[in-house]
Amino acid sequence: MRHSEFWERMDQHLGAGYARVWADTQVISELGGRTPTEALDAGVIPKTVWRAVHARLELPASER
């Protein structure tokens, strides 16, 4: 997964106006106590970040 696909999925599920705000403010323990944005900036691969976001949002398995 590329960064662009990660952000497309975020926009799809949270809306373009809210996705980045959510990613900047939600601390997720599976990401080492970082926000999704911090994790991506630290070099965590987008697929790993997406899996953590997916679990936090309790999205259906088909959206993995």
Side-chain angles (χ1 to χ4, degrees):
M1 171 184 290
R2 296 178 184 184
H3 282 85
S4 59
E5 184 180 352
F6 171 83
W7 288 113
E8 286 172 13
R9 289 183 184 198
M10 290 291 289
D11 290 349
Q12 176 186 359
H13 292 287
L14 295 172
Y18 185 59
R20 297 222 180 229
V21 172
W22 191 93
D24 287 345
T25 59
Q26 294 296 307
V27 175
I28 301 176
S29 60
E30 293 86 359
L31 298 175
R34 295 178 285 203
T35 67
T37 301
E38 291 170 336
L40 289 170
D41 289 346
V44 178
I45 61 171
K47 187 162 190 115
T48 299
V49 178
W50 175 250
R51 286 182 180 153
V53 168
H54 180 276
R56 171 63 68 88
L57 294 175
E58 299 179 347
L59 297 173
S62 63
E63 297 296 326
R64 243 183 257 142

